[in-house]
Amino acid sequence: MKLRDIIRETQAYYCLDCGKCTAVCPVAAHSETFSPRLTVLHALLGHNGGRPAGRLLGDCLTCGLCTEVCPSAVRYLSFTQMLRREMAETGSPPACSHGGVLTSLMRLQARKLEGRRGHDWVPAEARWAETGPLLYFTGCLPYYEVCFAELGASPLQTARDVLAVLNGLGATPVLLDDELCCGHDLYWNGDEDDARRLAERGAAAIAAAGAETVVSACPECVHALRDLWPALGVATGFRALHLSEYLAERGAAGELGLAVLPGRATYHDSCRLARQLGVVEAPRASLRTIYGSGFREMERHGREAVCCGTSGWLQCDAVSRRLQAERLREAAATGAATLVTACPKCRIHFLCAQGGESDDEVKGLRIRDYASVVREAMEGGEAFGDTA
Amino acid sequence: MPESLWQPKSLAQLQQALLEDRAFLEFPEGGHFVLQNLQDSPCRSACPAGVDVKGYVGLIAQGRFQEALDLVRRACPLPGVCGRICTHPCELACQRSELDDAVAVRLLKRFIADWELAHGARGIPRAERRRAENVAVIGSGPAGLAAALDLARLGYGVTVFEAEASPGGMLAQVIPGYRLPRDILAAEIAAIAGAGVEFRTGVRIGQDLSLEDLRGQGFAAVVIAVGMPLGRHLEVQGEKDYAGVYDCVSFLRREHTAPRDHRGEKLLVIGGGMSAMDAARTGVRLGFDSVQVVYRRTRDEMPAIEVDVVEAVAEGVELVFLAGPRRILGEDGRVTGLECDRMKLVAADESGRPRPVPIRGSDFTLPADVIVEAISQRSDLSFLPRALDFEVGAWSNLVTDPVTMATRVPWAFACGDVVTGPDTVVGAMAQGHVAARSVHAFLRGQPLTRPALAPPLEAQVRNRLPRKQARVPASSLDPAERGGFDEVERGYDVAAAMVEAARCMRCGPCEDCLVCASDCRHRHVMLAAPGTGPGAAAEPFEPVLIRVPADREEFPLQDAPRRVTLRWQPRGGRAAKGAARDAAPGELGLELTPLVCAVEEPLCRGCGDCLLACPYEAIRLEERGEGRPLVAVVQTERCRGCGTCVTACPTQAMHPGWFSHRGVLEQIDKLLAGAADLKAEDGSHEPRLLLISCNWCFPMSEALAATLPAGTRSLRLLCTGRVHPSFVTRAFEAGADGVFVAGCAKGECHYGGGNERLLATAASLRGALNLIGLAPERFEARLFPTGSAEAVVAAVQDFEAGLRRAGALRLATAAILPLEVSL
């Protein structure tokens, strides 16, 4: 796609050069080189062939705060994604952290035609099925369990907690024996071909299981299944819901008999859930029930919430770290002892950053996944030894 | 073409120019670089000639024998000779001796020399004649040969004059053939001749030609390396009265040129040094009924090296200690015996050895038919014209400036035994190097200097010792079979040499040996930098690598190199720089990359993972102000460039100076791309397999490597702790059917615990590969004891059999996504 077409498609030519995007951009606040406004300007003026120089394109978190404030409705996220796609095709995709191994594993899943993965992590007492109307899409949690063991986060515990919550609602969800990556990261990093491969095979597997509703505890998976797969031309005959949406739909607060948990807690909105999917209220509904008057909002929350600092395993750096540290201090400032997030990636990033912080209140924060909190409340608030 | 327009066309030329001070590297921030590594490994520091021991031992371990020999010949023109008779001070300094035995450096040098001869000697490349001046070298012993070769390499016309019929000096005349076969010596001298040195034998300066004649014939400088070819006498009673009394040099020379039958006779050798052992062991071979060595002190004080004494005793030589010669006895004009005093040892004399004094009335007589006085040697300087101002010392030595080897005659320099008195081969060669350098400076009108010697490595670099592994023994001829002058010691074969070389612990930093160059896929040289500011050469140096820009295209690197300027002068020498500055200096931009790892600060999130991974505690975290994350900082003086931190860093903020994360991924793509045609469509599947192994521990001969499965592509890393999970996943993406990683056994890692890190990486990676349904037989990481290349090959063969059973790994597309950019 030509740059001209990208500009037209994303309405970049509507840019008024007003600078509101740069004012709210969390990266621009800490980086001396990055500015959404300038990136668009360079494209419009054709500087450097219209492509942002060097790492700038990978610096964008695609968090979407800029599009929230843009008076001209420039589709900046699509603009970034399309430019990345162009750069990937011309041989210079943006750099990834962790040596690129997570992205490499995604591509291998997209391309490799053999092999199936098992469900070793599923507890014996859990109820699950191979076919049925409700499907639980675990996403990358098993990979994170392997790759981030040193964080002590046990990402797979989140998956066990989701299963327990769904079982608690009387549901017996389908677990796919050959579940593949949702393709979210590859799409946003510009590798649409591999994202489409994953979408095609993923949609076929979900269809084969007969699922009508797909639930995930990962906002990126939900975003991919609901928005990106159709955008990649892959038809889906199911609804994709975040766990919090599913619980809200089921009126779960009453149905699950959630207990009140002691202490104060606050909630971090993930970019994908709050802005791309517009899910702000659903998780809060459960958390207000669980924590009662102990639930506090951070200064920046809902659609104005700030990103956890990294997305798509793109290049993590000093700016990421500063965003994370800032967000953790913001959470601690509410007086909360628990920071709840409904995105496994946000949780991993915060846990990683927390390890290097010296502030006692930040160090004392318990960073938990939404599903784990719900499960604990559902089971009466008793301590579960291995609950994250 | 005026010299000022000179431009380096190759790495070798650049090195040479830097060595000659014709060029230097200038940094934007000030300060110059000259080619000298100021931190040598202990073995190299101990070598008088400065042979890069660690470098060539490393090359032997990799089976790169010709390159090893080339490296030796940079400083030692006689590898086959030194491989046999060098007193190997390097082995005495070898740090491995703290653990078990020193690395058998001498035998390894002998091995490559023999290997070259057995494979059709390539010899020494002919040196290009670049300068008008001719230099005469008088004497063709080791000092003269070293000086001659150095001068030829500097571009001069060099002629060596030798009084005897064949060149080699004492090596040809006196050293017995059972220690140094003459065909070895002849081959090495032929190699030096092949480099462009002319030999004129049978020309005795002082008789056939005078020193002034040489000047008249156009020799602009003369190197006097005539040695000490005459023996000394004891000056005891009866010495001159009877036939059968010889000095050692005369005895050996005579018996070497015209051996006689001494059956039925008794030999007495007086002295405890190496020539005494040579005389005694030669005596055994000449058929003497008995051979006794008479020495004033005891075995502990003998200057001869241990192995010679052991072999002498094994061959039947009897050692008589604490015996001081008093009088030579004879009858009818022939010697019959030696009268000795029994000695006792008292406090040490100025030589540091206990002083022997006679015990009154203890005299005894040893019967003898031949007596050899192996006590010392002297020179023959009768050829020096009286008109010239040479100074001769008390020991008949030619006096020179101890630093520059200059005599009082401006165009004459001297080196070797004639200056030092009888010394070792390697000591003589060391002097030859200095003399050549001074001749060069003299002819170029530069002041005579010698570069400061590199101080030996202060702190021990290795922080963990590898597992004990004894030195590989070399066999020797059974004493019962040593009738003639056949060589006694047998050298190593290929396998033994590679295993022995792999025992080297590689103390100290990179030494420009280029061992790693072929693996890194780019060439670099070691330079040392003075502190900042002009003329700060005396300041501490930090090791750096310099890369030749021509290599960039083929092997691109993404580490951020620094720009430096190479400048050169019409007349070299930094001392002459002020005067020459305005003449016609030239310059050339170069890129310089530190050997050490460096942190790209904007990428560093201060997690400290690198700090935990570094085997050398070379990384610390520094503050960068309020609200900013800590930043990792590499302490360059500690960093050894192993790259372990590069793998540990989650954000790729850590860059090694040489091969980056991306650089390794590119190598993987390249290696596997070449094997694409191995996957046949008809089902006769030839598995593609990537073998990642430790660079140091599994030297593999070509023959052994040939037994690896055909689809194997090999990637060697300096340390398998460097293996990043993405190396393996990238290999699968690139189409590998399997990946096998061979690390060294626990406790044997050159970099500490790299092998343990490999196991940890492999365990978590296996979990991830399992999740994507990759059959477990497609990935394996195993540790093998050092030197067990056969076991590695066998394991890879088994692994490949498993891949055949598993079938081809089918991918939806063969297109490899381009690598990410990190700018």
Side-chain angles (χ1 to χ4, degrees):
Chain A
M1 189 183 267
K2 289 203 169 79
L3 181 65
R4 206 174 47 217
D5 299 328
I6 295 177
I7 291 172
R8 196 178 56 237
E9 186 115 332
T10 59
Q11 303 183 29
Y13 54 78
Y14 284 174
C15 175
L16 299 171
D17 200 11
C18 71
K20 285 191 169 69
C21 50
T22 303
V24 298
C25 175
V27 178
H30 293 289
S31 162
E32 285 151 15
T33 48
F34 185 80
S35 159
R37 179 176 66 95
L38 280 179
T39 308
V40 171
L41 196 66
H42 286 314
L44 290 173
L45 295 176
H47 293 162
N48 188 32
R51 268 75 173 172
R55 214 164 50 216
L56 287 181
L57 201 58
D59 280 350
C60 174
L61 298 167
T62 63
C63 73
L65 266 177
C66 50
T67 53
E68 295 288 310
V69 298
C70 179
S72 308
V74 173
R75 294 169 56 214
Y76 187 75
L77 301 194
S78 298
F79 176 79
T80 300
Q81 193 271 339
M82 287 177 182
L83 278 183
R84 285 179 182 169
R85 190 180 66 201
E86 293 300 294
M87 292 187 77
E89 282 169 7
T90 55
S92 51
C96 287
S97 294
H98 305 288
V101 67
L102 289 153
T103 322
S104 182
L105 284 167
M106 292 171 200
R107 284 196 301 265
L108 270 177
Q109 287 181 69
R111 296 168 176 208
K112 202 180 63 61
L113 301 175
E114 67 168 35
R116 301 168 82 77
R117 76 189 212 196
H119 297 299
D120 297 346
W121 56 272
V122 180
E125 69 274 16
R127 283 177 285 118
W128 60 284
E130 290 185 351
T131 57
L134 180 70
L135 185 145
Y136 169 39
F137 197 87
T138 54
C140 291
L141 290 171
Y143 294 91
Y144 299 165
E145 184 81 3
V146 171
C147 297
F148 301 106
E150 76 279 4
L151 287 177
S154 187
L156 266 180
Q157 188 56 44
T158 301
R160 294 188 196 104
D161 293 339
V162 174
L163 257 187
V165 169
L166 294 177
N167 284 171
L169 285 169
T172 303
V174 172
L175 295 178
L176 288 178
D177 188 36
D178 51 353
E179 184 186 307
L180 294 170
C181 170
C182 69
H184 169 277
D185 291 352
L186 293 180
Y187 174 87
W188 280 103
N189 296 357
D191 182 6
E192 281 192 11
D193 290 343
D194 283 320
R196 189 174 294 108
R197 286 187 186 100
L198 289 169
E200 283 165 354
R201 288 166 63 195
I206 292 171
E212 294 152 13
T213 304
V214 178
V215 171
S216 177
C218 174
E220 294 189 341
C221 293
V222 178
H223 171 50
L225 270 57
R226 188 190 294 178
D227 306 328
L228 302 183
W229 288 9
L232 288 165
V234 177
T236 56
F238 55 83
R239 299 166 67 226
L241 296 174
H242 186 262
L243 176 68
S244 61
E245 291 180 283
Y246 180 75
L247 295 185
E249 245 185 47
R250 293 278 305 255
E255 201 174 333
L256 283 168
L258 295 175
V260 172
L261 297 181
R264 289 177 181 172
T266 189
Y267 172 72
H268 165 80
D269 294 271
S270 82
C271 304
R272 297 287 176 264
L273 195 57
R275 280 183 289 271
Q276 254 96 350
L277 297 169
V279 180
V280 171
E281 197 42 45
R284 284 180 169 75
S286 341
L287 292 175
R288 285 203 197 94
T289 307
I290 294 168
Y291 289 101
S293 61
F295 181 75
R296 301 294 162 96
E297 288 287 6
M298 282 187 266
E299 192 183 328
R300 296 174 291 180
H301 62 273
R303 293 184 76 102
E304 284 85 48
V306 72
C307 175
C308 69
T310 323
S311 80
W313 303 115
L314 283 186
Q315 190 64 71
C316 175
D317 58 13
V319 171
S320 314
R321 174 66 185 272
R322 289 173 74 173
L323 289 176
Q324 286 147 9
E326 200 176 83
R327 191 63 170 162
L328 286 173
R329 281 196 287 274
E330 200 174 330
T334 65
T338 303
L339 170 61
V340 181
T341 176
C343 173
K345 269 191 194 167
C346 291
R347 179 163 174 257
I348 283 172
H349 294 147
F350 285 141
L351 282 168
C352 173
Q354 188 185 31
E357 288 299 302
S358 52
D359 184 294
D360 278 344
E361 287 180 350
V362 167
K363 280 168 79 169
L365 275 178
R366 195 169 171 212
I367 301 167
R368 307 188 66 188
D369 192 274
Y370 168 78
S372 304
V373 172
V374 171
R375 180 189 181 181
E376 189 184 338
M378 180 189 87
E379 296 184 353
E382 291 154 32
F384 283 83
D386 58 351
T387 301
Chain B
M1 181 191 275
E3 209 169 356
S4 60
L5 294 179
W6 173 84
Q7 285 228 9
K9 294 190 181 62
S10 69
L11 182 64
Q13 282 189 9
L14 172 60
Q15 282 179 294
Q16 192 65 41
L18 287 161
L19 268 170
E20 295 168 22
D21 278 359
R22 280 192 293 129
F24 55 92
L25 293 167
E26 195 170 270
F27 285 73
E29 62 270 43
H32 301 310
F33 278 56
V34 294
L35 184 69
Q36 191 184 11
N37 179 3
L38 278 195
Q39 262 200 316
D40 281 348
S41 52
C43 43
R44 190 179 193 173
S45 301
C47 177
V51 175
D52 184 355
V53 177
K54 184 178 77 173
Y56 83 78
V57 169
L59 287 164
I60 293 172
Q62 297 186 9
R64 294 159 63 187
F65 306 135
Q66 188 67 54
E67 287 163 88
L69 198 54
D70 292 345
L71 184 59
V72 170
R73 282 177 171 150
R74 285 195 205 173
C76 170
L78 302 169
V81 171
C82 285
R84 287 174 166 79
I85 63 171
C86 185
T87 51
H88 51 75
C90 52
E91 293 185 22
L92 303 181
C94 177
Q95 298 298 300
R96 178 105 201 178
S97 62
E98 284 182 20
L99 176 69
D100 36 44
D101 313 311
V103 174
V105 179
R106 179 182 61 79
L107 281 163
L108 288 171
K109 193 192 281 112
R110 171 183 167 160
F111 163 76
I112 43 175
D114 289 357
W115 177 89
E116 192 199 43
L117 278 182
H119 288 76
R122 194 186 76 177
I124 306 172
R126 176 162 286 268
E128 186 191 347
R129 177 75 188 260
R130 303 194 306 275
R131 302 177 199 280
E133 296 96 333
N134 291 305
V135 181
V137 176
I138 307 173
S140 62
L145 292 174
L149 182 58
D150 283 4
L151 287 165
R153 282 170 168 165
L154 285 167
Y156 296 100
V158 183
T159 305
V160 176
F161 293 91
E162 169 57 48
E164 304 292 336
S166 59
M170 297 295 266
L171 301 176
Q173 311 285 321
V174 166
I175 304 290
Y178 61 86
R179 286 213 291 147
L180 176 60
R182 290 303 184 267
D183 54 339
I184 300 292
L185 176 66
E188 307 227 293
I189 288 172
I192 293 168
V197 173
E198 187 189 344
F199 285 89
R200 291 180 61 186
T201 53
V203 181
R204 190 172 290 272
I205 304 297
Q207 287 179 15
D208 305 317
L209 280 173
S210 74
L211 214 49
E212 289 97 332
D213 289 341
L214 291 180
R215 291 281 289 166
Q217 288 183 6
F219 290 101
V222 174
V223 176
I224 300 169
V226 295
M228 291 210 165
L230 305 179
R232 279 182 191 281
H233 288 284
L234 271 173
E235 316 290 340
V236 294
Q237 194 186 339
E239 197 173 56
K240 298 193 170 62
D241 302 338
Y242 309 109
V245 181
Y246 303 93
D247 69 77
C248 186
V249 177
S250 306
F251 173 75
L252 288 172
R253 183 178 285 132
R254 170 181 168 149
E255 297 298 351
H256 175 62
T257 45
R260 286 170 303 167
D261 189 354
H262 289 282
R263 272 177 289 192
E265 295 178 1
K266 291 181 167 60
L267 172 67
L268 273 190
V269 178
I270 302 169
M274 304 225 289
S275 48
M277 293 303 114
D278 283 349
R281 295 177 66 190
T282 298
V284 172
R285 286 164 175 77
L286 293 172
F288 281 100
D289 272 2
S290 75
V291 178
Q292 288 180 306
V293 170
V294 179
Y295 184 51
R296 293 191 297 165
R297 299 183 176 91
T298 70
R299 177 156 180 174
D300 288 343
E301 287 80 42
M302 284 176 74
I305 59 171
E306 180 71 11
V307 59
D308 273 346
V309 183
V310 170
E311 294 293 353
V313 171
E315 291 167 9
V317 173
E318 187 190 342
L319 305 174
V320 182
F321 295 115
L322 294 170
R326 185 168 159 174
R327 188 157 67 103
I328 288 174
L329 309 172
E331 272 177 39
D332 305 330
R334 279 209 64 85
V335 68
T336 58
L338 178 70
E339 189 177 296
C340 296
D341 283 321
R342 184 57 71 195
M343 312 295 273
K344 64 178 176 184
L345 295 180
V346 298
D349 60 14
E350 62 272 15
S351 75
R353 294 176 295 179
R355 189 162 57 94
V357 292
I359 303 168
R360 193 182 298 256
S362 67
D363 52 303
F364 61 101
T365 300
L366 295 168
D369 301 299
V370 174
I371 291 179
V372 172
E373 298 171 340
I375 52 163
S376 194
Q377 287 155 242
R378 62 187 170 88
S379 67
D380 176 5
L381 293 175
S382 58
F383 69 97
L384 295 179
R386 283 173 186 272
L388 295 173
D389 187 25
F390 287 104
E391 180 185 352
V392 178
W395 293 89
S396 77
N397 54 312
L398 186 51
V399 176
T400 64
D401 180 306
V403 171
T404 65
M405 312 311 295
T407 66
R408 286 193 198 168
V409 177
W411 44 265
F413 298 81
C415 55
D417 284 0
V418 72
V419 175
T420 59
D423 194 10
T424 57
V425 173
V426 68
M429 290 194 311
Q431 288 216 320
H433 291 316
V434 179
R437 186 184 165 88
S438 289
V439 167
H440 176 55
F442 165 72
L443 293 177
R444 304 264 68 78
Q446 295 164 15
L448 305 184
T449 54
R450 184 162 66 170
L453 285 176
L457 211 54
E458 280 177 27
Q460 287 314 312
V461 175
R462 58 179 169 69
N463 42 6
R464 292 169 189 83
L465 287 170
R467 204 177 59 178
K468 284 194 179 189
Q469 183 194 345
R471 168 194 283 234
V472 179
S475 62
S476 53
L477 204 60
D478 191 284
E481 296 170 14
R482 296 182 192 175
F485 281 81
D486 290 345
E487 188 169 19
V488 167
E489 185 183 68
R490 308 290 196 200
Y492 287 144
D493 59 16
V494 169
M498 288 169 78
V499 170
E500 176 61 20
R503 291 178 65 240
C504 172
M505 303 194 297
R506 311 199 58 76
C507 311
C510 170
E511 288 186 42
D512 181 21
C513 66
L514 305 181
V515 163
C516 57
S518 75
D519 288 336
C520 300
R521 301 291 164 202
H522 70 271
R523 300 162 77 194
H524 50 240
V525 292
M526 191 75 184
L527 296 164
T532 52
E539 296 296 311
F541 283 56
E542 272 180 8
V544 288
L545 289 172
I546 153 173
R547 205 165 58 230
V548 181
D551 288 338
R552 272 184 64 81
E553 254 188 39
E554 196 180 349
F555 313 114
L557 292 167
Q558 293 305 314
D559 329 320
R562 301 166 68 201
R563 211 62 198 160
V564 295
T565 307
L566 174 74
R567 291 189 191 279
W568 60 92
Q569 317 278 2
R571 292 167 61 84
R574 272 169 300 143
K577 201 167 62 188
R581 188 183 298 279
D582 299 320
E587 65 179 55
L588 180 73
L590 291 174
E591 282 171 337
L592 185 140
T593 313
L595 168 70
V596 296
C597 291
V599 179
E600 192 181 344
E601 285 203 10
L603 287 183
C604 177
R605 49 182 283 124
C607 66
D609 285 358
C610 52
L611 185 144
L612 297 176
C614 176
Y616 301 106
E617 296 177 17
I619 300 168
R620 60 170 191 266
L621 291 173
E622 279 185 5
E623 292 195 22
R624 284 288 186 271
E626 186 76 25
R628 288 172 175 270
L630 299 171
V631 165
V633 174
V634 178
Q635 295 170 268
T636 50
E637 68 279 10
R638 290 191 170 189
C639 177
R640 298 283 169 256
C642 67
T644 307
C645 55
V646 179
T647 293
C649 176
T651 66
Q652 284 146 259
M654 193 63 85
H655 291 273
W658 35 355
F659 68 111
S660 61
H661 185 83
R662 180 192 162 120
V664 176
L665 294 181
E666 279 177 343
Q667 280 194 55
I668 290 171
D669 284 357
K670 212 166 160 182
L671 285 169
L672 290 164
D677 52 348
L678 283 171
K679 273 195 192 181
E681 290 293 327
D682 61 1
S684 61
H685 168 56
E686 189 79 48
R688 299 188 225 181
L689 121 80
L690 181 68
L691 168 63
I692 304 178
S693 61
C694 167
N695 189 51
W696 307 117
C697 295
F698 310 114
M700 213 174 269
S701 63
E702 271 177 40
L704 184 60
T707 64
L708 284 167
T712 308
R713 294 295 176 268
S714 184
L715 172 74
R716 286 198 300 205
L717 299 174
L718 286 193
C719 180
T720 50
R722 180 75 200 280
V723 173
H724 191 280
S726 60
F727 296 175
V728 178
T729 56
R730 184 75 191 182
F732 285 121
E733 277 191 74
D737 295 306
V739 179
F740 191 95
V741 189
C744 51
K746 288 195 179 182
E748 294 184 3
C749 177
H750 284 80
Y751 301 103
N755 37 24
E756 312 217 2
R757 265 189 297 283
L758 167 65
L759 292 187
T761 303
S764 63
L765 178 61
R766 197 167 286 119
L769 295 177
N770 188 35
L771 285 172
I772 63 171
L774 205 109
E777 56 266 34
R778 294 198 185 278
F779 170 66
E780 191 170 343
R782 270 174 66 183
L783 306 185
F784 298 84
T786 300
S788 55
E790 288 86 356
V792 175
V793 172
V796 172
Q797 286 163 345
D798 286 351
F799 181 71
E800 197 245 11
L803 293 182
R804 284 180 185 280
R805 286 191 294 274
L809 179 68
R810 292 191 305 126
L811 297 179
T813 171
I816 304 176
L817 201 77
L819 285 161
E820 292 127 355
V821 277
S822 180
L823 296 168

